[in-house]
């Protein structure tokens, strides 16, 4: 069964950068879109960014727009999230997800495959 595996999280100071990766365990896995969501302690899971896999069209939450870049490597079947100018409020568990069918990419309920999540902590 295909899995999504996140990597690249960790502890960083405010103003720093991190690049998250999300690799599909099977090179042949295909999806309509993939996205990043995050969940901070005591808060609901929220949309961060998404990319339509075939077109490369990207979408961002206002909270990260201008500070983050989502991208993909088709050959590696891997998605990335470059996060710059990190703030303490970016601290959360970050999840990557895949939507196999056409769907609004900003809503988590349309994603049917999820990674286990990775911790990102931004210290002030």
């Amino acid at each position: 069964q295909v899995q999504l595996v996140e990597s690249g999280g960790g502890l960083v100071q405010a103003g720093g950068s991190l690049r998250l990766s999300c690799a599909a365990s099977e090179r042949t896995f295909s999806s309509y879109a993939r996205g990043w969501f995050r969940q901070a302690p005591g808060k609901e899971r929220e949309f961060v960014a998404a990319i339509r896999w075939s077109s490369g069209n990207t979408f961002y939450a206002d909270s990260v727009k201008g500070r983050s870049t989502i991208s993909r490597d088709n050959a590696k079947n891997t998605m990335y999230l470059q996060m710059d100018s990190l703030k303490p409020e970016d601290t959360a568990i970050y999840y990557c997800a895949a939507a196999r069918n056409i769907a609004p990419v900003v809503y988590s309920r349309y994603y049917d495959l999820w990674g286990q999540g990775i911790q990102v902590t931004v210290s002030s």
Side-chain angles (χ1 to χ4, degrees), residues 47-50 58-66 68-71 81 106:
F47 169 75
V48 177
T58 58
F59 305 84
Y60 297 93
D62 288 343
S63 58
V64 303
K65 194 174 296 182
S68 297
T69 303
I70 189 170
S71 61
L81 182 67
V106 302

Side-chain angles (χ1 to χ4, degrees), residues 79-100:
M79 174 178 66
Y80 304 96
L81 182 67
Q82 175 69 39
M83 300 188 293
D84 301 315
S85 302
L86 283 162
K87 305 174 181 179
E89 50 263 45
D90 293 317
T91 296
I93 298 175
Y94 284 69
Y95 298 89
C96 71
R100 293 179 231 218

Side-chain angles (χ1 to χ4, degrees), residues 10-23:
L11 173 64
V12 64
Q13 288 187 335
S17 298
L18 281 176
R19 188 176 83 152
L20 304 183
S21 300
C22 173

Side-chain angles (χ1 to χ4, degrees), residues 18-111:
L18 281 176
R19 188 176 83 152
L20 304 183
S21 300
C22 173
S25 60
E26 295 179 7
R27 289 288 180 94
T28 58
F29 173 71
S30 64
S31 58
Y32 168 72
R34 297 187 200 177
W36 291 96
F37 292 79
R38 68 187 182 186
Q39 188 166 18
K43 295 187 177 181
E44 293 187 353
R45 189 172 299 187
E46 65 175 4
F47 169 75
V48 177
I51 185 167
R52 287 184 182 150
W53 206 253
S54 61
S55 68
N57 290 346
T58 58
F59 305 84
Y60 297 93
D62 288 343
S63 58
V64 303
K65 194 174 296 182
R67 301 188 295 120
S68 297
T69 303
I70 189 170
S71 61
R72 73 194 189 309
D73 183 329
N74 284 323
K76 295 181 179 179
N77 211 345
T78 299
M79 174 178 66
Y80 304 96
L81 182 67
Q82 175 69 39
M83 300 188 293
D84 301 315
S85 302
L86 283 162
K87 305 174 181 179
E89 50 263 45
D90 293 317
T91 296
I93 298 175
Y94 284 69
Y95 298 89
C96 71
R100 293 179 231 218
N101 302 308
I102 295 175
V105 299
V106 302
Y107 300 111
S108 61
R109 63 181 178 272
Y110 293 106
Y111 289 78

